[in-house]
Amino acid sequence: MSFGEQMRRRREELGMTRQQLAQRLGVSVSAVGNYETGVSAPKEEVLLRLFTALEAEPNYLYRGSFRDGEDSHSDEERRLLAKYRDLPLSGRQTVHSLVDALTVMTGELRAAAPAAEVRTIPLYTSPAAAGFAAPVFGEDYELIQVSGDVPPGAELAVRIQGDSMSPVIEDGSVVYVNHDPVQSGDVGIFCVDGDMLCKQYYRDGFGMVYLFSLNRKRADMDVIFHRGSGRSLTCFGRVMLHSQPLPEGHI
């Protein structure tokens, strides 16, 4: 079991949602999803908070990522194995029969279940950044399978680089995008004079457009379009996030 799978398993054992874990770690919900699916790994300071939040030692989360050459069983597996070894021969034969029957039943249920529709979307690895990014949108991507963690309406995914959208969108995390029109307050993927940016959109009553950084320490990365400025602005899609408050005192 990988680090991400072990992390998800432990979170579920504690009855904790991704949103609750994200709040404890000080990261976005999408960042937690990326950790659990293996898209990205937590930074050192986040990792230390993760061990505390999940009440788990490093060996617990990483034990499936390596083999120590002697014992790669989990605590639960070792307990079951010890109980099995204590059984008489007749008891072990009963266990074998029960496991065989469960295996057959599980196989029949899987065969009878309708095949899940596999959907893929492009994951762009360079075109958007929470600051600067590559100017060409449509190159440098891979197709990824859509799982239950991906919003149903997602049409593409983008890996974000930079810290101007943190902590809502962390550096290196993946966001999911659709082609719905952006409204004031939405976060979108924009092409500004050839540069690709991930920003929060706002349009005032006078026709001025503002692209805000959610990280107000990086307000230097904001972009403002005055009417008649002649600058080019194209929106490639809306990032599928819960609505974010607009920065106070800036609109």
Side-chain angles (χ1 to χ4, degrees):
M1 185 176 292
S2 68
F3 169 83
E5 292 170 331
Q6 195 72 4
M7 173 183 164
R8 176 186 56 78
R9 178 179 178 181
R10 179 57 179 163
R11 174 178 60 77
E12 292 175 347
E13 286 176 352
L14 296 174
M16 190 184 306
T17 66
R18 281 186 174 179
Q19 184 173 7
Q20 290 171 329
L21 180 56
Q23 291 173 345
R24 296 190 183 188
L25 299 181
V27 301
S28 65
V29 177
S30 63
V32 172
N34 291 339
Y35 302 156
E36 293 186 349
T37 56
V39 173
S40 62
K43 297 179 180 179
E44 182 178 352
E45 62 270 18
V46 177
L47 193 59
L48 294 176
R49 292 196 294 270
L50 180 65
F51 296 145
T52 301
L54 294 182
E55 303 172 13
E57 296 181 352
N59 287 340
Y60 177 87
L61 295 180
Y62 282 106
R63 67 186 180 192
S65 302
F66 65 89
R67 295 184 181 275
D68 58 14
E70 296 182 0
D71 188 2
S72 60
H73 297 103
S74 68
D75 293 340
E76 181 181 4
E77 290 168 339
R78 284 194 292 270
R79 287 194 295 269
L80 289 173
L81 183 58
K83 292 178 180 178
Y84 172 81
R85 288 172 174 170
D86 286 339
L87 292 173
L89 178 60
S90 60
R92 294 187 183 187
Q93 290 173 337
T94 300
V95 171
H96 292 172
S97 299
L98 178 60
V99 171
D100 289 342
L102 288 173
T103 301
V104 171
M105 183 181 70
T106 302
E108 291 175 346
L109 290 174
R110 288 175 177 171
E117 180 182 357
V118 177
R119 189 168 71 91
T120 60
I121 61 175
L123 167 61
Y124 292 90
T125 57
S126 66
F132 295 100
V136 180
F137 192 86
E139 299 180 359
D140 190 18
Y141 71 89
E142 60 178 307
L143 293 176
I144 59 172
Q145 288 191 358
V146 175
S147 66
D149 298 324
V150 177
E155 298 175 64
L156 56 99
V158 176
R159 190 182 302 280
I160 301 300
Q161 300 168 354
D163 64 351
S164 73
M165 299 299 281
S166 66
V168 179
I169 304 175
E170 294 286 359
D171 179 21
S173 64
V174 170
V175 297
Y176 298 98
V177 181
N178 62 24
H179 290 123
D180 291 349
V182 292
Q183 307 293 329
S184 290
D186 288 344
V187 174
I189 303 296
F190 301 93
C191 181
V192 179
D193 297 333
D195 290 325
M196 300 300 301
L197 307 174
C198 178
K199 296 292 176 187
Q200 183 182 33
Y201 174 85
Y202 176 73
R203 182 185 180 92
D204 68 15
F206 301 99
M208 290 181 59
V209 173
Y210 303 77
L211 299 182
F212 290 119
S213 302
L214 295 180
N215 180 3
R216 298 316 297 158
K217 292 181 180 179
R218 297 304 311 274
D220 59 304
M221 304 302 298
D222 292 351
V223 182
I224 301 176
F225 290 83
H226 299 277
R227 293 186 63 181
S229 65
R231 303 183 66 186
S232 65
L233 171 64
T234 303
C235 179
F236 280 96
R238 182 179 67 86
V239 175
M240 302 178 73
L241 292 174
H242 296 297
S243 61
Q244 301 295 320
L246 290 161
E248 296 181 3
H250 295 274
I251 56 175

